[in-house]
Amino acid sequence: MTQSAPVVQLAIAGESPDAVYPEAVAATEHAFRMLEQGLGDLLRRPETSVTPVGAD
């Protein structure tokens, strides 16, 4: 799937389901591969070294 033409935009633009199907399958397989291999630190928030107020 290309970044410039996500499957949803193709469908909204009037592409037929048969035309969108191959890209939808590829995008779905890619997403499941990411889940299968783990997302790593994708959603991890950076730790901060801020001292809470009154902790002096």
Side-chain angles (χ1 to χ4, degrees):
M1 183 173 79
T2 63
Q3 290 287 350
S4 60
V7 175
V8 173
Q9 288 181 347
L10 291 172
I12 291 171
E15 290 287 337
S16 72
D18 289 336
V20 175
Y21 180 79
E23 286 195 54
V25 170
T28 302
E29 289 173 348
H30 175 71
F32 276 100
R33 274 194 307 277
M34 285 180 64
L35 288 173
E36 199 172 66
Q37 296 169 4
L39 298 176
D41 291 335
L42 180 66
L43 301 176
R44 181 182 217 143
R45 293 183 181 168
E47 292 190 28
T48 60
S49 59
V50 176
T51 304
V53 175
D56 297 332

